Amino acid sequence: MSALSERPENPIVGIPLPHESAALHVTGEALYTDDLVGRIAGTLHAWPVQAPHTHALVTALRTEPAYAVPGVVRVLTANDVPGINDAGVKHDEPLFPTEVMFHGHAVCWVLGETQEAARLGAAAVEVDYEPLPSLVTVTEAIAAESFQGTPRNLERGDVTAALENAAHVFEGEFEFAGQEHFYLETHASLALVDEGGQVLVHSSTQHPSETQEIVAHVLGVPSHEVTVQCLRMGGAFGGKEMQPHGYAAIAALGATLTGRPVRLRLNRTQDITMSGKRHGFHSTWRVGFDDEGHILGLEATLTADGGWSLDLSEPVLARALCHIDNAYWVPDIRVDGRVARTNKTSQTAFRGFGGPQGMLVMEDLLGRCAPLLGIDPLELRRRNFYQQDQTTPYGQPVRQADRLAACWDQVASSGEIARRRAEIAEFNRVHPHTKRGLAMTPVKFGISFNLTAFNQAGALVHVYKDGSVLINHGGTEMGQGLHTKMLQVAATALGLPLSRVRLAPTRTDKVPNTSATAASSGADLNGAAIKNACEQIRERLAQVAGGRLGISPSDVRFDDGVVHGLSPASGEIGWSELVNVAYHQRVQLWAAGFYRTEGLHWDPNVMQGEPFKYFANGVAASEVEVDGFTGAYTLRRVDIVHDVGDSLSPLIDIGQIEGGFVQGAGWLTLEDLRWDTSDGPNRGRLATQAASTYKLPSFSEMPEDFRVKLLEKAHEEGAVYGSKAVGEPPLMLAFSVREALREAAAAFGPAGTSVDLASPATPEAVFWALDKARTPQAPETTPADAEPVLAGGKG
């Protein structure tokens, strides 16, 4: 067992504790970025001037009318930028654009004494536009060959030969929608400037270091003149990894020019119309099976809808390509990937970061092909699972295939899948207008940033003379419980009760050059950095304790605030007393910790290597009931077994699994982004701008019976205290809901019906699918092999 993963006796990690801010959350006392405004006098408020066109040139901008509005202080335009007029890291996102690239694009910002004054000032700004042709859908972009970034290719073996020799070959097309983050807290920044011109930005950001970098280059100053703090976020889900930077820069620019604090907080409609979303994808595929249902070859093209700029689209696409295999061995494979450029918001990171999109293609084709092969969908999936140490298409060994099988078998057993499926078959036989379906799907998700350099973290741990401890780390808290886990890690590493440890807000002047809290790696990276810092302090204190107790420092143990030797005869000393003794001996009582993930190597140009530290595994079984008249459905029961290693905080992890699953079910079944694709004046306008038109999962969509278990005896060698990441992988467990809906829809037709189900599988989409199943038509055939062509799947 590695030193990093080994747990001491009586650890604080592993104890099911509530979220460290739970009481503050439920009482409303938790402070968020925008709550700080009331504590700072003289704050100005920012409001955007949004373009009413989807694609247009700005031919004139007249700000003078805004200054006639009482309370307007300043209008910010490109002429005010002292540094670089760009809000991104790819230099393709002008902060003040001269070419409008999507409906609602902000061309300038108005600062007012009140938010209402800023709003009225923005309405008074006069802008002339020259409308240009626009591309709204990914299929329009493909037809126009409108692409951006570097196309990628993932290949192993000879897929052409594999498909030629396969007993069964199917092909299909599948387009599926994106997803709005809809975090409770919208984008918010508050910037202040001190007497020396130093800028402090409070920002709701997952990536404070990158926010700092963008603010600095917009202002034309070095990074050490900008400090970014993130107190906490009211949700993020990836939407605050790249996109907060421009808003923080606007606030900082306004504060620098006016000498007054500037607050920028988007309202819900602004946030939805201006910020990026999960990438929708278009896919085409061709797959071959042998007579036993083993996958022999897969050929696919994935096109991500990147929106108007690159943002994180390239790494999202790369992760999609790396996850198209999901849990299945595909000996011969070729996947081509590209990013479409459309006139929509710049799509960005979203929980799973392309992994769900790649895996959805595989799960969809298996669900469609199983009836045509005459093989039970559960058996088809189980038959194609990775075996121990088989390698992924990009060359990484799957070292824990046995855990994937263990999750599957445990769900099948504890969920009584065989018995319930027999009951469902009987229910469907006697109920002509209501059908049920039950599906099981696996998840194998790689943990680490695809870009190797991001797999590092820092921490700063202070021990004060009274024995109290303050920890800082580079991770951000968005409600996911990272800070709770980090407190438990520090208390465990120092051998202290949790009450002796406090955590400070994330700030770039405490821990520099941090990576985003993303890729499910927050606990792995920051926990290891905190443990490293604590161990440095503990080793110094062990020297002092050894001298005090008359024993070797290697025999000193720290446990629940008491320091003692291996033998009771050696006596003991209290933690606080030891710290005081160490201070008087001039022993350093603080430490900077650092961690870099070992064993990673990745060549993005050839898409080969081992980009992931390990794979997170899980399996879900979902049962649904569908109404044949409306397509409305109920999620009756969900059984999940998920691998989080040795959990750092079981209550937090179970909450993340439940939340991730429901969010995934929302993406796949409810959340339907709709842009106006007509040729009318509102072309390109997002029609689903609020909760009234964009349906989110709520308590009514929760399963009536929800059973979540953590895989036991799942210690992860080489990760902090043997734990595993939990943030993103559970989202993809929701594939089981969509596949259960497919099973139920198919039950309205004759045996062997293959159902083409749109994504999101809204009640309307389910009705169309089941209605088609009731009146099946002869499938088209390919001339080469007379197998069905599976088209459609438009989301």
Side-chain angles (χ1 to χ4, degrees):
M1 187 178 294
S2 67
L4 179 60
S5 67
E6 184 178 1
R7 295 190 176 190
E9 294 183 9
N10 305 315
I12 302 299
V13 294
I15 298 175
L17 298 175
H19 193 286
E20 48 90 22
S21 294
L24 299 178
H25 290 160
V26 299
T27 60
E29 295 177 357
L31 288 176
Y32 296 85
T33 296
D34 202 50
D35 294 322
L36 303 176
V37 175
R39 301 177 172 216
I40 300 172
T43 301
L44 297 176
H45 304 262
W47 196 273
V49 176
Q50 292 183 263
H53 301 284
T54 298
H55 190 200
L57 293 177
V58 178
T59 57
L61 178 64
R62 292 178 291 277
T63 62
E64 296 81 5
Y67 287 100
V69 175
V72 169
V73 174
R74 182 101 186 210
V75 181
L76 303 178
T77 69
N79 294 331
D80 295 313
V81 177
I84 301 171
N85 179 31
D86 197 275
V89 296
K90 298 284 188 179
H91 304 293
D92 63 347
E93 297 182 39
L95 194 59
F96 299 95
T98 56
E99 182 180 359
V100 170
M101 296 301 292
F102 65 95
H103 200 288
H105 204 163
V107 297
C108 64
W109 292 77
V110 177
L111 306 181
E113 296 285 357
T114 64
Q115 195 171 52
E116 180 65 4
R119 185 187 70 82
L120 293 173
V125 172
E126 297 175 356
V127 188
D128 293 340
Y129 300 96
E130 179 187 329
L132 299 172
S134 60
L135 300 170
V136 177
T137 69
V138 66
T139 50
E140 290 174 350
I142 292 171
E145 297 186 350
S146 174
F147 302 108
Q148 57 185 327
T150 304
R152 293 297 181 197
N153 163 258
L154 179 64
E155 187 169 7
R156 174 175 63 191
D158 187 344
V159 71
T160 301
L163 293 175
E164 287 177 353
N165 296 325
H168 307 275
V169 177
F170 307 96
E171 63 182 31
E173 179 182 1
F174 183 35
E175 183 179 343
F176 47 94
Q179 185 178 20
E180 165 60 35
H181 299 88
F182 223 108
Y183 23 65
L184 291 178
E185 176 200 28
T186 58
H187 281 288
S189 292
L190 174 64
L192 306 91
V193 180
D194 68 13
E195 76 282 358
Q198 310 296 309
V199 180
L200 170 63
V201 183
H202 297 275
S203 176
S204 184
T205 176
Q206 292 175 246
H207 201 172
S209 288
E210 195 166 77
T211 301
Q212 173 194 32
E213 178 185 341
I214 298 301
V215 170
H217 86 219
V218 168
L219 298 181
V221 300
S223 289
H224 72 235
E225 294 191 21
V226 177
T227 298
V228 174
Q229 173 173 305
C230 178
L231 183 59
R232 58 168 59 85
M233 287 169 280
F237 310 117
K240 296 176 181 175
E241 180 174 349
M242 182 76 81
Q243 307 237 329
H245 310 334
Y247 305 124
I250 292 292
L253 177 62
T256 302
L257 294 175
T258 64
R260 295 173 60 179
V262 171
R263 167 237 199 176
L264 188 159
R265 179 186 61 80
L266 302 182
N267 64 30
R268 181 61 64 186
T269 298
Q270 290 167 340
D271 196 282
I272 293 180
T273 56
M274 295 171 67
S275 68
K277 304 161 194 335
R278 183 187 296 280
H279 292 70
F281 269 60
H282 177 276
S283 67
T284 58
W285 50 265
R286 200 161 172 251
V287 64
F289 297 88
D290 65 16
D291 284 327
E292 285 73 44
H294 297 109
I295 302 171
L296 299 179
L298 174 64
E299 185 176 55
T301 298
L302 304 184
T303 306
D305 185 351
W308 74 278
S309 68
L310 268 177
D311 194 275
L312 290 164
S313 295
E314 289 176 306
V316 165
L317 177 67
R319 187 169 279 262
L321 266 60
C322 288
H323 282 78
I324 194 169
D325 59 326
N326 191 12
Y328 312 108
W329 164 247
V330 186
D332 294 282
I333 185 170
R334 177 186 173 89
V335 189
D336 296 312
R338 55 194 179 178
V339 178
R341 188 177 192 183
T342 57
N343 295 113
K344 289 192 286 201
T345 53
S346 184
Q347 316 311 14
T348 191
F350 199 129
R351 197 174 196 170
F353 201 80
Q357 290 94 317
M359 294 157 71
L360 179 57
V361 173
M362 175 63 79
E363 293 300 335
D364 182 72
L365 73 85
L366 289 176
R368 293 161 77 174
C369 294
L372 301 172
L373 291 167
I375 300 176
D376 184 284
L378 270 66
E379 177 58 28
L380 182 64
R381 288 182 165 89
R382 183 67 176 83
R383 198 172 291 182
N384 281 286
F385 274 8
Y386 274 105
Q387 300 301 307
Q388 197 72 14
D389 293 323
Q390 286 180 329
T391 58
T392 64
Y394 46 90
Q396 177 156 348
V398 180
R399 300 184 177 93
Q400 294 177 341
D402 56 331
R403 291 198 188 181
L404 189 61
C407 291
W408 183 275
D409 294 342
Q410 188 173 332
V411 169
S413 174
S414 64
E416 300 180 283
I417 301 302
R419 177 188 63 77
R420 288 166 56 205
R421 293 186 85 204
E423 291 177 355
I424 287 171
E426 177 60 20
F427 177 92
N428 291 343
R429 187 184 68 80
V430 299
H431 290 81
H433 305 304
T434 305
K435 304 294 183 183
R436 292 177 180 173
L438 190 158
M440 285 176 63
T441 56
V443 167
K444 175 187 67 64
F445 188 82
I447 302 299
S448 291
F449 287 95
N450 276 70
L451 181 62
T452 303
F454 285 170
N455 295 289
Q456 59 176 298
L460 183 62
V461 177
H462 298 317
V463 176
Y464 294 98
K465 286 187 291 182
D466 65 353
S468 62
V469 178
L470 179 68
I471 61 175
N472 298 265
H473 64 89
T476 55
E477 176 63 55
M478 59 197 91
Q480 84 278 34
L482 175 62
H483 285 352
T484 308
K485 289 183 173 183
M486 297 304 94
L487 288 167
Q488 290 180 263
V489 167
T492 298
L494 293 172
L496 290 175
L498 199 62
S499 60
R500 302 304 302 274
V501 184
R502 187 175 78 82
L503 192 143
T506 309
R507 285 176 64 109
T508 57
D509 60 354
K510 296 294 189 293
V511 181
N513 309 323
T514 58
S515 298
T517 305
S520 305
S521 63
D524 282 8
L525 296 177
N526 294 287
I530 288 171
K531 186 171 185 285
N532 174 252
C534 291
E535 287 172 345
Q536 294 177 48
I537 296 169
R538 197 180 66 199
E539 287 173 11
R540 296 175 198 143
L541 291 176
Q543 297 288 332
V544 177
R548 188 75 173 221
L549 299 174
I551 60 176
S552 168
S554 62
D555 291 338
V556 173
R557 297 293 181 268
F558 297 78
D559 185 12
D560 197 29
V562 177
V563 184
H564 57 83
L566 293 176
S567 168
S570 58
E572 63 182 38
I573 181 173
W575 165 267
S576 297
E577 181 184 352
L578 175 62
V579 167
N580 187 263
V581 170
Y583 168 76
H584 284 92
Q585 292 182 10
R586 297 185 293 177
V587 173
Q588 181 180 333
L589 293 174
W590 57 269
F594 181 75
Y595 174 74
R596 50 172 286 176
T597 309
E598 300 293 340
L600 305 179
H601 58 93
W602 177 244
D603 186 339
N605 295 315
V606 298
M607 295 286 287
Q608 289 292 309
E610 294 195 27
F612 306 121
K613 179 68 174 176
Y614 55 81
F615 294 105
N617 307 293
V619 170
S622 295
E623 180 181 340
V624 300
E625 182 173 300
V626 174
D627 183 288
F629 295 109
T630 65
Y633 45 80
T634 303
L635 182 54
R636 290 171 47 80
R637 176 173 166 178
V638 173
D639 293 81
I640 292 172
V641 174
H642 197 72
D643 172 16
V644 297
D646 283 342
S647 176
L648 292 176
S649 196
L651 202 59
I652 295 294
D653 284 345
I654 289 174
Q656 284 291 289
I657 294 167
E658 292 173 342
F661 176 88
V662 171
Q663 190 171 49
W667 168 50
L668 294 167
T669 66
L670 292 173
E671 302 179 43
D672 197 4
L673 290 166
R674 292 296 179 97
W675 278 270
D676 189 333
T677 57
S678 73
D679 292 328
N682 288 323
R683 175 175 169 79
R685 176 183 176 271
L686 181 64
T688 48
Q689 297 185 6
S692 59
T693 50
Y694 186 79
K695 183 163 177 57
L696 296 161
S698 62
F699 282 117
S700 60
E701 280 75 43
M702 289 283 284
E704 300 169 7
D705 189 349
F706 202 176
R707 309 184 188 195
V708 176
K709 295 181 180 179
L710 304 181
L711 184 67
E712 297 179 354
K713 299 179 181 179
H715 181 88
E716 182 59 33
E717 183 68 21
V720 61
Y721 289 129
S723 65
K724 269 189 174 183
V726 72
E728 294 170 297
L731 183 134
M732 287 142 279
L733 295 168
F735 292 146
S736 58
V737 179
R738 185 170 182 273
E739 291 306 305
L741 289 172
R742 188 198 306 276
E743 297 268 309
F748 285 93
T753 298
S754 176
V755 169
D756 173 18
L757 187 60
S759 188
T762 59
E764 295 88 344
V766 172
F767 175 78
W768 295 328
L770 68 86
D771 192 53
K772 188 174 181 180
R774 283 190 290 218
T775 54
Q777 300 176 3
E780 301 174 22
T781 57
T782 58
D785 47 39
E787 293 285 2
V789 176
L790 303 176
K794 302 290 191 251

